[in-house]
Amino acid sequence: MTGKTHVAVGVATGLALSTGKPVKEQFFLIITSAIGAVIPDLDHPKSKLNQKILIFNNKFFKVLFYVLIGIGFIYLDSIVENQEFKILGIIMILTGMSSHRGFTHSLLGFLLFSSIAYTYSIKFGINEIYLGFNIGYVLHLVMDFFTPKGIQLFFPITKNISSPITIKTNGEGENLLFIGSSFYSLYFLIQFIR
């Protein structure tokens, strides 16, 4: 699936879950659902997010960038002894080293990224950070599971698994999902404005 579809589904789900909640909770649910929906594609050098943060959008620079960031976080952990930095360091190194739909598209990747979201959710007392992030992330994995390439759900085992029923990336099925999610979001936004 493409980045725009992941974001559209993440936002639509965040909007749906935020109905009837206070504005602060709505805001965090929607934003973190969108963030969670794009984070798994950090493993692809040409993903929407990497196009913004990588100077060169190629595999070599992606590996170099994330491994150096990871080493920096691990070094920071050794100075301030903050477990979050060690986990972030491990996440960044594994993200840099893995192929597309590898570590970040696995249960291990989900659990590690989710632990960081949980930590910040507790730290700031905002449960919606954890909830929204996890929903966006899981939806991303489910959507990519339905593509012909599938995902390495059980990384470090490198076998890709996919649904017997698949949706071609940038195909009609994905376009319908994008349009449907976009209209669904517009509907909720109109209801909110009223």
Side-chain angles (χ1 to χ4, degrees):
M1 301 276 169
T2 60
K4 68 177 185 179
T5 305
H6 287 302
V7 171
V9 170
V11 168
T13 306
L15 280 165
L17 292 173
S18 69
T19 303
K21 294 187 178 286
V23 174
K24 176 184 166 189
E25 292 177 17
Q26 290 179 337
F27 173 78
F28 281 106
L29 263 173
I30 296 163
I31 296 299
T32 56
S33 292
I35 292 169
V38 296
I39 288 293
D41 278 341
L42 282 178
D43 64 2
H44 193 295
K46 296 188 190 286
S47 71
K48 294 284 186 201
L49 203 50
N50 278 333
Q51 287 178 22
K52 306 284 186 235
I53 60 176
L54 295 179
I55 296 169
F56 302 105
N57 299 108
N58 61 46
K59 197 175 196 174
F60 172 78
F61 197 75
K62 179 207 86 162
V63 171
L64 182 65
F65 178 80
Y66 286 110
V67 168
L68 288 176
I69 295 290
I71 291 169
F73 276 126
I74 291 171
Y75 176 71
L76 203 53
D77 171 60
S78 72
I79 294 170
V80 296
E81 296 182 14
N82 184 332
Q83 190 90 14
E84 295 164 27
F85 291 134
K86 186 182 294 178
I87 294 169
L88 277 169
I90 292 166
I91 288 171
M92 292 297 108
I93 291 170
L94 288 171
T95 298
M97 300 299 285
S98 76
S99 62
H100 182 47
R101 297 193 182 169
F103 163 69
T104 60
H105 287 70
S106 69
L107 293 173
L108 175 62
F110 167 71
L111 291 173
L112 287 174
F113 275 104
S114 178
S115 71
I116 295 298
Y118 179 75
T119 300
Y120 285 105
S121 182
I122 297 300
K123 183 181 264 185
F124 297 115
I126 304 169
N127 294 334
E128 289 72 22
I129 292 173
Y130 182 67
L131 177 64
F133 182 85
N134 284 345
I135 287 166
Y137 202 110
V138 168
L139 285 172
H140 184 114
L141 299 185
V142 169
M143 289 166 50
D144 280 356
F145 172 74
F146 280 96
T147 62
K149 184 178 178 188
I151 59 175
Q152 291 178 19
L153 188 62
F154 302 108
F155 180 90
I157 298 169
T158 58
K159 180 167 176 41
N160 284 33
I161 60 167
S162 65
S163 168
I165 300 167
T166 59
I167 299 171
K168 183 180 174 205
T169 301
N170 256 338
E172 280 185 38
E174 181 180 351
N175 290 334
L176 285 172
L177 186 58
F178 172 74
I179 291 167
S181 297
S182 298
F183 277 118
Y184 191 72
S185 294
L186 282 173
Y187 168 77
F188 272 100
L189 287 173
I190 290 168
Q191 297 303 313
F192 180 74
I193 292 170
R194 288 184 176 179

